[in-house]
Amino acid sequence: MKKVISILWLFLIASLHGVEVTAELSADTVPAGQGVILQVTVEGGSPQGPPVLPAVKDLIVNSRGASQQMRMINGDVTRSIVFSFVVGSNQAGNYEIPAITVRIAGKDYATQPLKLKVGASPNAAPAGMDEEKKTETPGKYGHLGFRMVAKDRKHVYPGEIAPVKIQAYFPIDAQVSLRSMPRPEGSAFTLHNLSEEPSQSTEVINGQRFLVVTWFGGLSATKAGVYPASLRITGTVAVRDDTAQRRPSAFNDPLFGRSLLNNFFAPMVQKDVELTTENPLSIEVRELPKDGRPGDFTGAIGEFEFQSVNIPNSLKTGEPCQIETVVKGSGNFALLSAPQPLPNGDWKTYRGSDDFVPTDVASFGGTKTFRYNAIPLLPGEPEVALGFSYFDPEKGEYREIKSSTGKIVITGEVVKSTDFAEAKQPKNPQPDVPQLAPLAKDLGAVTSYEPLSAARWFTPVVVGCGLLSLAILGTGWWKSREVDPAKEVRKAHELALREAVEAADKAVSQGDAAAFFLSAKSAVQLGIAERVGIKPEAVTLADLDGEDEAIADILVEADRVDYSGEMASTKDLMTWKSKLEESLVNLETKRKQQAA
Amino acid sequence: MKTIKLITLGFLLLGGLVQGADFKQANAAYAAGKYSEAAKSYEEILKADGPHISVLRNVGSAYYQMGENGKAILAFERALVLTPRDPDLLANLKLAQDQVAVYPVAEGSAWQSFLERYSTRAWSKIALVTAMLLPFAALAWCFRKGKERIGIGMFAAANLTMLALAFAGLDARSGEYKRGIIIGKPATVRISPFEKADDRGTLGEGREVTLGQETSGYFWVTADGGRQEGWVAADEVVPVVPERKMN
């Protein structure tokens, strides 16, 4: 209750202050199709209703509601009410918003007039844009476009393969998965040699950017008449669903109230779509004229010429020769037959082989190489040329093409064409389309999707094996650390030997023969004892069978010095020392050999 | 006990003969152009006997001929789970995918390709064998001395490498239990797992998706690397591995 009374007091105090009404635009300039915020602020009074904005031609105004603010500065309480509007226009130009009137306590208060400049839309189509594209704005999921490559061509002839350009337009942010290649609707046309890998590019149409997929191919008519060249393509297109999270539009205009973030967070909506050509081009299919049709016309329509001709220049009647010629140009090469030698009646020709090498992705232009056998029937030195005919669709007339002539020497007698059997007709080639692998004939074993790793025992077994291995290695290592008597004996022996040798060395340096021989005898005994496997002190001369003589000499001399007390010279001791070292090396070598 | 074993063996042999005959009949129906009949027979063999690579391959071919490309892709994918490098299966799968414009995701790194060359079963066998050889290597190490240990050490190192590879292979293939193939034409992706829920779009036949939990006859599916998610009816999407285990 106290709060309510306080608020009433505040309102009362506020009403005592002066009233002020102002209007402000968030920006003076705005592109067409976008809006700025217009705020009408009322301070120090309570308006009886929202301000009414005067109507301005082409100016769109939509209310965004009102908000209240209350400020207290040095005890002064100021209350303000802000009315917000979005103002904009789809038409570029300079606009003036007249004074806006607000009625407060029976009195009208007016704002200052405002000026707003509406510029061109940033998404507007650039000048000089293709008129055809301007008029055809793709739908939400795209559309299909089609045109003849030859400008101004609106007619074709049956059998002609007219090059066409097919373009599918999709929204730039769409994810597209095509299910089929473009196909003509109806039975009037067929598409040939459609490029397998269409090119991709982007285009701006009516201010929107689109992904454009382009195919080239050949359009062929099946019957005379005028037919719409309508194409169809199916696929899956995923686009962002702008309607899912967009706020209500300020102007009920799709351009307003749309933000980048709204678009970014909008979910993808995927649809199976079937795109068709809108306003398809009507194409007249004209019959091929009967007048002037050459006798050797085989249905070739386009534009062709000889690239090369190869005929042997020395022949004999009745004997076949190979003729090779290359024709280049553009059109329905499939119906172009091998050029025949002229004059016709002088030759018997056979069906040969041909190779076509396209020079464009749609296989419309290229070169066709013909190779076939021909038999000259008449002897002489005729000027021979090759010839063929085709229909020129641009000029609407038949044309007969003749290669350059060359003189050929033909020897032999006159022969009749009936003397030769007809050549075997080659089999029709099988269509070169991928086929399924042949059926499996053997049932084979039953398998399981369930791998061993999914079995309950798998992990314990694998882990168990790992642990067992570690346990074995650990045990082995532990065992290896235990005392090995043999090793200990070997160590003790090596130590004793080393001490004896050191003592002998010391005795030599002191000239003490008795000490030297005592140590030398001990060292030799140690060496022999380890190898023989007896105690060192038990080694006698009898155990030296097969040993070096130097060892026996050392032992004998040691006994002699011991018993006689004779002193050897220092020089002699050095000699005995060398003998001792040599003996010990030999003993060690023998020990290692024995151990191995 | 011996009698029971003999009877069991007899039944198994008899069952094998019966399935073999059915398989030949199904192949004959296929050869006669009765693809639907052949597909039905193959499916019955699979149901009764379990997965045979040959039957999966043939049923996929039968579905392909019927224009059921989603089911054909599913059958070929199932066979490839069992034998990932079979060139005939790979060629058939590509044919079926081309029919419905399903283009597989570009292959990963060479390492990933290597790991995916072998099936989960193959990797788990390698893991088991190498793990079981380890204790023997350890024993040999303990009982041998000197230079003999070099050979044993090399063997053990090779064994451990193979074991690590096998685990990497198993890890690389761990996702196959979540793979699903769309057989609906197309399948509707809904925001909730019930029929009247709003749809979020569609997924074309033959598309591969990642399966999540299954609720009320609907699978939670993710496609296009997470760009499309939602619920798809269980009769429109089928797990590649039938006996899949959900995490």
Side-chain angles (χ1 to χ4, degrees):
Chain A
M1 190 61 186
K2 278 185 179 177
K3 279 184 182 175
V4 175
I5 294 169
S6 304
I7 290 168
L8 285 173
W9 267 108
L10 282 172
F11 275 115
L12 184 66
I13 295 165
S15 64
L16 296 175
H17 284 76
V19 175
E20 191 179 355
V21 179
T22 55
E24 189 182 16
L25 286 169
S26 60
D28 296 332
T29 311
V30 65
Q34 295 182 15
V36 294
I37 301 293
L38 167 63
Q39 288 188 326
V40 179
T41 308
V42 179
E43 285 189 2
S46 297
Q48 292 173 342
V52 179
L53 269 69
V56 179
K57 188 173 183 292
D58 293 332
L59 199 67
I60 307 167
V61 180
N62 254 342
S63 172
R64 276 281 175 92
S67 60
Q68 288 192 36
Q69 286 182 345
M70 200 168 285
R71 286 179 296 176
M72 188 178 286
I73 302 168
N74 295 332
D76 286 346
V77 179
T78 310
R79 176 185 172 231
S80 62
I81 300 172
V82 181
F83 296 93
S84 298
F85 303 86
V86 179
V87 185
S89 175
N90 286 322
Q91 304 296 323
N94 292 316
Y95 295 87
E96 183 171 315
I97 304 169
I100 303 163
T101 307
V102 183
R103 178 168 281 268
I104 302 167
K107 190 178 174 186
D108 287 337
Y109 293 86
T111 67
Q112 74 282 17
L114 299 169
K115 286 184 177 174
L116 177 67
K117 184 178 180 183
V118 178
S121 168
N123 294 327
M129 179 188 276
D130 188 356
E131 286 302 317
E132 181 193 19
K133 289 170 189 168
K134 270 186 182 175
T135 53
E136 279 192 55
T137 302
K140 185 177 181 184
Y141 295 101
H143 87 235
L144 201 60
F146 159 83
R147 70 178 175 85
M148 307 281 282
V149 170
K151 284 181 180 175
D152 305 327
R153 272 291 295 278
K154 289 189 177 174
H155 68 271
V156 294
Y157 293 89
E160 179 191 359
I161 297 179
V164 292
K165 185 180 181 182
I166 301 160
Q167 290 182 304
Y169 295 79
F170 300 100
I172 194 69
D173 57 349
Q175 294 164 19
V176 182
S177 171
L178 296 178
R179 290 181 179 282
S180 69
M181 300 288 262
R183 286 193 292 255
E185 290 189 305
S187 58
F189 298 100
T190 54
L191 269 177
H192 299 266
N193 303 329
L194 209 59
S195 42
E196 287 183 4
E197 291 183 6
S199 63
Q200 293 186 23
S201 58
T202 59
E203 274 186 27
V204 176
I205 300 171
N206 289 348
Q208 279 183 280
R209 189 166 286 277
F210 287 88
L211 169 71
V212 187
V213 185
T214 306
W215 292 266
F216 287 95
L219 188 75
S220 179
T222 55
K223 52 192 175 185
V226 179
Y227 306 99
S230 178
L231 302 177
R232 179 162 49 93
I233 191 169
T234 57
T236 306
V237 180
V239 294
R240 294 203 178 277
D241 183 9
D242 297 341
T243 60
Q245 292 192 8
R246 199 194 306 161
R247 289 175 185 171
S249 167
F251 299 141
N252 293 325
D253 185 309
L255 292 174
F256 288 88
R258 183 177 189 173
S259 78
L260 207 62
L261 281 178
N262 275 349
N263 197 38
F264 182 78
F265 288 114
M268 297 294 286
V269 175
Q270 185 170 299
K271 289 283 182 192
D272 288 333
V273 296
E274 186 175 271
L275 303 182
T276 54
T277 43
E278 292 176 14
N279 305 319
L281 186 69
S282 283
I283 294 179
E284 181 189 359
V285 184
R286 297 177 183 170
E287 288 283 10
L288 284 169
K290 289 179 182 170
D291 294 341
R293 184 179 295 182
D296 63 345
F297 177 69
T298 54
I301 302 175
E303 192 176 351
F304 307 96
E305 63 178 314
F306 279 105
Q307 182 171 298
S308 67
V309 172
N310 186 10
I311 307 171
N313 55 16
S314 178
L315 299 169
K316 190 178 178 184
T317 56
E319 288 187 359
C321 68
Q322 191 179 64
I323 292 176
E324 182 177 314
T325 179
V326 181
V327 177
K328 65 177 181 180
S330 59
N332 56 348
F333 270 98
L335 294 179
L336 182 68
S337 296
Q340 298 295 304
L342 301 174
N344 267 334
D346 295 352
W347 296 77
K348 166 81 176 174
T349 56
Y350 293 91
R351 185 188 295 251
S353 63
D354 52 62
D355 295 316
F356 174 63
V357 180
T359 52
D360 55 50
V361 289
S363 299
F364 184 70
T367 58
K368 193 170 184 178
T369 305
F370 298 94
R371 291 181 198 86
Y372 60 92
N373 287 335
I375 297 172
L377 303 175
L378 298 174
E381 295 184 1
E383 292 280 343
V384 177
L386 298 183
F388 69 95
S389 62
Y390 68 90
F391 184 78
D392 186 338
E394 295 291 335
K395 294 179 179 169
E397 61 186 23
Y398 294 99
R399 298 197 65 192
E400 291 181 273
I401 303 296
K402 192 177 171 185
S403 70
S404 56
T405 54
K407 184 178 275 188
I408 294 175
V409 177
I410 304 171
T411 58
E413 301 293 323
V414 176
V415 292
K416 293 177 182 174
S417 65
T418 50
D419 293 344
F420 307 100
E422 283 296 326
K424 275 190 172 179
Q425 295 295 320
K427 284 183 178 177
N428 288 332
Q430 293 297 314
D432 186 19
V433 293
Q435 302 287 325
L436 279 173
L439 285 187
K441 301 290 181 194
D442 297 324
L443 182 59
V446 182
T447 51
S448 170
Y449 296 112
E450 193 89 341
L452 296 175
S453 56
R456 283 184 182 176
W457 50 264
F458 181 84
T459 307
V461 166
V462 171
V463 173
C465 286
L467 291 175
L468 182 61
S469 308
L470 289 174
I472 291 169
L473 285 174
T475 309
W477 174 75
W478 186 257
K479 291 287 281 181
S480 69
R481 287 181 69 238
E482 286 181 353
V483 177
D484 182 353
K487 265 188 183 173
E488 294 300 313
V489 168
R490 170 82 191 139
K491 273 185 185 173
H493 180 83
E494 281 177 353
L495 181 66
L497 188 62
R498 198 162 51 242
E499 285 174 356
V501 170
E502 283 172 5
D505 285 346
K506 194 176 175 185
V508 169
S509 63
Q510 292 175 349
D512 187 347
F516 169 78
F517 282 108
L518 189 65
S519 302
K521 184 182 177 183
S522 175
V524 169
Q525 281 178 323
L526 281 166
I528 293 170
E530 189 188 10
R531 189 161 57 80
V532 179
I534 57 176
K535 288 186 175 178
E537 57 270 23
V539 174
T540 63
L541 286 172
D543 299 311
L544 300 182
D545 190 24
E547 299 292 350
D548 288 344
E549 283 183 9
I551 295 173
D553 291 347
I554 289 169
L555 290 180
V556 169
E557 187 64 15
D559 286 343
R560 195 183 68 77
V561 171
D562 189 24
Y563 291 120
S564 67
E566 188 181 324
M567 298 296 286
S569 68
T570 307
K571 190 182 175 185
D572 288 342
L573 282 181
M574 290 300 287
T575 308
W576 281 110
K577 187 192 168 195
S578 299
K579 263 189 178 179
L580 174 65
E581 286 170 352
E582 188 185 339
S583 301
L584 290 175
V585 168
N586 288 336
L587 281 173
E588 180 63 16
T589 307
K590 281 185 179 178
R591 188 193 67 76
K592 282 183 178 172
Q593 286 172 352
Q594 193 175 346
Chain B
M1 190 64 185
K2 268 189 176 179
T3 315
I4 294 169
K5 280 184 180 173
L6 281 172
I7 290 170
T8 311
L9 191 65
F11 271 116
L12 284 173
L13 283 171
L14 190 64
L17 288 173
V18 170
Q19 298 300 354
D22 289 346
F23 183 63
K24 283 182 180 170
Q25 276 184 2
N27 279 1
Y30 183 101
K34 299 172 184 172
Y35 302 119
S36 176
E37 186 183 315
K40 194 178 170 190
S41 301
Y42 290 133
E43 289 286 9
E44 281 170 3
I45 295 171
L46 291 172
K47 194 174 175 184
D49 211 18
H52 288 267
I53 294 166
S54 55
V55 182
L56 285 167
R57 172 172 151 181
N58 290 5
V59 75
S61 298
Y63 281 132
Y64 175 85
Q65 300 286 11
M66 292 162 64
E68 294 281 351
N69 291 303
K71 288 181 179 175
I73 290 169
L74 175 70
F76 294 139
E77 288 280 16
R78 281 182 169 173
L80 282 166
V81 167
L82 304 171
T83 170
R85 286 178 297 161
D86 188 311
D88 285 343
L89 284 170
L90 289 169
N92 284 359
L93 176 66
K94 187 178 182 315
L95 263 183
Q97 286 178 329
D98 286 348
Q99 288 295 313
V100 286
V102 169
Y103 302 112
V105 178
E107 284 186 9
S109 61
W111 170 245
Q112 194 69 16
S113 300
F114 168 74
L115 294 177
E116 289 178 358
R117 280 168 68 88
Y118 300 97
S119 66
T120 315
R121 261 185 100 71
W123 281 124
S124 56
K125 278 180 188 169
I126 292 170
L128 189 65
V129 170
T130 49
M132 291 176 84
L133 284 173
L134 280 178
F136 293 103
L139 273 175
W141 176 270
C142 292
F143 282 101
R144 296 290 176 179
K145 306 285 179 193
K147 288 180 181 175
E148 288 179 336
R149 281 188 168 179
I150 297 173
I152 296 165
M154 287 170 71
F155 170 75
N159 211 33
L160 281 169
T161 307
M162 283 304 292
L163 185 61
L165 270 179
F167 278 117
L170 286 172
D171 183 56
R173 289 206 155 267
S174 60
E176 72 187 11
Y177 288 94
K178 293 180 179 176
R179 294 172 65 207
I181 300 292
I182 298 289
I183 59 167
K185 296 181 172 182
T188 306
V189 183
R190 301 187 185 282
I191 60 170
S192 297
F194 53 89
E195 194 181 349
K196 291 183 178 174
D198 284 347
D199 66 283
R200 281 179 137 168
T202 55
L203 283 169
E205 181 187 17
R207 291 278 302 278
E208 182 172 331
V209 295
T210 303
L211 297 174
Q213 66 175 105
E214 186 182 5
T215 305
S216 314
Y218 280 80
F219 277 112
W220 175 259
V221 302
T222 308
D224 298 330
R227 286 196 290 271
Q228 198 171 12
E229 291 181 318
W231 295 93
V232 172
D235 57 355
E236 291 184 322
V237 60
V238 183
V240 170
V241 179
E243 302 132 17
R244 84 193 188 98
K245 290 174 179 174
M246 293 304 308
N247 295 328

